[in-house]
Amino acid sequence: MKPIDEQHIAEPGPVVLDITGGDEDTVRAVMAALEGRRATSGVGPVRRDPGEPGVRARVYADVLRPGREAS
């Protein structure tokens, strides 16, 4: 697995989040939790990369707009 780089978001706006987890249920739970807090592209497809452990998904989010739970 690649190292995790912590990033500080200098200005609010759109971001792209690549999520990696051990299984599909975990990755889908993370996407659903993000959707509740921020405006996101929603729970999207989960993929497996041959020869790599775990599963991955990509989420687009807007840190300016609240999600469903915050509305």
Side-chain angles (χ1 to χ4, degrees):
M1 189 177 291
K2 295 179 183 177
I4 297 172
D5 296 324
E6 184 175 323
Q7 296 289 322
H8 173 74
I9 301 172
E11 296 180 20
V15 296
V16 177
L17 304 169
D18 287 317
I19 301 168
T20 303
D23 58 62
E24 287 190 31
D25 290 340
T26 300
V27 170
R28 289 184 190 285
V30 169
M31 287 191 286
L34 287 170
E35 185 177 32
R37 292 182 175 90
R38 292 284 136 213
T40 72
S41 56
V43 177
V46 176
R47 69 180 189 281
R48 291 187 183 276
D49 294 329
E52 295 288 325
V55 295
R56 292 169 177 71
R58 177 167 280 180
V59 174
Y60 300 89
D62 186 340
V63 296
L64 285 174
R65 295 181 11 213
R68 291 180 289 144
E69 293 175 5
S71 299

